[in-house]
Each structure stands twice: as C-alpha cells, then as structure tokens.
Amino acid sequence: MRKKRVLLLSEGFGAGHTQAAHALSVRLRQQSPEVQTRVLELGSFLHPTIAPWIFTAYRKTVTTQPKLYGMVYRSQYKKSLNRFTQLALHRIFYAQTAEIIHQLQPDTIVCTHPFPNVVISRLKRFGLNIPLCTVITDYDAHGTWVSPEVNKYLVSTPAVKEKLLSRGVPEESIEVTGIPVHPNFLEQNNREELRDRFRLKPMPTVLVMGGGWGLVKDEDFLPYLTRWRNRIQLIICLGSNEKALETMSEDPRFQHDNIRLLGFTNEIDKWMDVSDLLITKPGGMTCTEGLAKGIPMLFYKPIPGQEEENLQYFTQHGFGQQITSAETIDHWFELLLKRYPELLQRRAMLTERQSKPQVKDCSQAIMEMLTMQKTFV
C-alpha cells in the first residue's frame, strides 16, 4: 500500500506563504510515516526564468508604491478573481499544472497562496477529483482566497472564519487552526548556550527583520537604532538582500561590537530565542513565529492591505505595538534597560501560554482529510 501523498503549492510573493507550506510538510511527516509531501512554488517551478522577474516587480511595487497596492487590495477585497483573470492565469502561467498533478498523483492538494488556489479550483471545475485545502496565511480573508471548489479552509482566527462565512462559505468547510509554523518555533532553546554559539553579549538584545521589504530603504530608521548600540545589542537580519548587507557592512554606523548584520538564515527561531524584542513588518508568518516564541513585537510601517489587518490583530490582543514615532522605540528600549528581568518573566509566561496546543492544528486537519478522502469522491 503506497503512502498518502500531499502536494503543497505556494508562490514566491514574499517568503511567508512558502514557509507555511514547508512548516506543514514537516509537521505532516511527523504526524505519520505513511505521508509523503512535496512543496512547490508553482510559478517558479513552471517558469524558473520568468517568475523571478515577476516577483521582483511585485516587491518593487509594494515597497515603492504601497498606496497603489493598497488601493488595488481594497478594490478587490470582497471579490474572487473573475473567470477571465482565472483563464488568463491558467493559459499564460499555469497551463502545465494538470500534467504536474498527473505525474505526482497527490491524494490531497494544499494551497498556501491564492494563485495556485485559483488554478486548482479551475481544474476541479473541469473534472479534477482531488480534495483541495486552502491555508490562509494572514489574519484576514481577501476575496481572492475564496472559491466554491475549496473543500476545506484552514484559518488563523475566529474573526477570519466570520469573514468567510459572510462571503457564503459553508461553516463545515472552515476550521480555525492557526497559521502553521515550523516545529523549531515550538521548541525552547537554551539562551546562554545560543549566546555563546552566536558570540553575543549577555545584554538586552533586539532582533530587526524585514530588510528586503522597506526597512533598508528608510534612510532614517536603522541609523536611529544605532544610537542605542552602546546599551542595546542589535541583530539586523537582511534576508536575501545581499546588496543591503554589503552596503551596511561598510557603513561605520553599523561597525560596532554590539551590532550583528545577518544575511539569509534558517535559524531565525534561535535568533528569536536570544532576543528580547522583535522589530518587524507585520507579515502574517513572521508575526506568528514571533508569537510562538513569546517575543514582544514592534511593527514597522505596514503595507496597506493584509499587513494592516495583521497589525490590527496583534496590537488589539496585546502582542505588540506599532512604531508611530521615534518615541515608541525609545520607550521600549528604555523598558529593556530598566525592567529587563520583568520583561523576561512576562515573555516566559506568554511562551508557556502559546505552547499549549490548539484543539486542532493545520496538520491534524489535513490528516483528517486524508483519512476521509472517500467523502470527496
């Protein structure tokens, strides 16, 4: 008897969607040795030359013209992609998807980005008979996620479930499971051992993320943080932005014993463990990972659209605060210096609360879909 196969489809419009797919892949294989998974960024897989250009253009639009992006996001907020757009996506970009599915023979398809979700939904309308699960990777539900062909929606919060219900999605098709994070973010590492390994000092430490999405382009923000470098240890993660890493490495303001510049790393969970405060763009995945680690968060200029909704959720629930001025930074950095032990204790309590398992997480819900597959035939 062959293993059950789960095909997880994402896209490269920001790292969070694919991180969620990989997190699910790992957790599904942990749940059962009888499950085989495959993660694909569908557009990149089909068009490895064209896709990076599209993703770069998208990133430039989001970072240089956020108001335009926000207008488009809001104008289409309650709408699914129309049939013409779906057909265009299929013909121009995803025409070979059916052949990939035929070759891989998945038992269930999971989408963590709206575009492959649209493509698989269209194939299901034309006869594809495979259960489709959609994992919404933000704290909002834009209309582009919604399709009558989706068998199961896995969402972050009851509020997102209510938004789907208001758009006519049947209640039995929605489960509140939270956004999946890699199991590494659910483990607690020894801070002292990590400090020694990373060659960090035992002092208040701030992790800054999101360098590729606007933080670096702000000529005042990161230099302002360096004013605290004698009293606060700064870890600035620039991800895949190699140009920014090179430029900042040559900048005297960032050449200090208490400042560490990082490029891409697979150990963000460990860098969060040795940090006391996270400064980030309010992307759904990073915020969820920070929440799993119990680290207080400060949010830098949300991109209009889903990041605004993420920001609202995390600030309303007391998990972080928006940076509205330099005074916000000064206030929190002073807190780190004056009330460091108290903040460490609060973080430990928050981490313990977050470590309690939900009634059902994403991987469990997908496992149920696999065992109940006959109901979709």
Side-chain angles (χ1 to χ4, degrees), residues 152-287:
K152 183 71 70 174
Y153 291 91
L154 305 181
V155 303
S156 53
T157 67
V160 176
K161 177 179 178 178
E162 289 300 319
K163 290 183 179 183
L164 291 179
L165 290 173
S166 71
R167 291 176 187 151
V169 177
E171 185 167 10
E172 62 271 16
S173 298
I174 313 169
E175 292 192 46
V176 179
T177 59
I179 296 174
V181 297
H182 193 282
N184 288 350
F185 287 90
L186 304 177
E187 298 174 0
Q188 294 303 308
N189 296 288
N190 185 289
R191 285 168 62 94
E192 285 69 31
E193 291 178 2
L194 286 178
R195 275 181 182 149
D196 290 342
R197 177 185 160 193
F198 292 146
R199 301 189 305 278
L200 297 172
K201 298 177 182 178
M203 61 188 295
T205 303
V206 175
L207 175 62
V208 185
M209 294 180 62
W213 287 86
L215 285 174
V216 172
K217 296 182 184 298
D218 189 323
E219 296 181 356
D220 298 321
F221 181 73
L222 290 177
Y224 184 83
L225 297 184
T226 65
R227 298 182 183 186
W228 291 85
R229 62 188 182 179
N230 291 322
R231 295 192 291 164
I232 299 285
Q233 192 164 226
L234 296 171
I235 302 167
I236 303 174
C237 183
L238 301 166
S240 301
N241 196 334
E242 295 178 4
K243 182 179 179 180
L245 179 60
E246 181 180 353
T247 300
M248 290 175 62
S249 297
E250 296 172 355
D251 189 328
R253 292 173 295 184
F254 298 97
Q255 296 173 350
H256 191 277
D257 287 345
N258 292 340
I259 296 179
R260 179 72 61 83
L261 300 178
L262 298 179
F264 177 80
T265 174
N266 287 317
E267 296 188 303
I268 285 297
D269 60 302
K270 295 178 177 59
W271 288 103
M272 285 187 181
D273 277 331
V274 295
S275 302
D276 305 296
L277 179 67
L278 171 63
I279 298 178
T280 181
K281 301 281 287 178
M285 198 67 202
T286 301
C287 290

Side-chain angles (χ1 to χ4, degrees), residues 352-365:
E352 183 180 359
R353 188 176 77 183
Q354 290 305 123
S355 66
K356 294 179 180 178
Q358 300 193 51
V359 175
K360 186 188 299 181
D361 66 18
C362 286
S363 58
Q364 291 172 316

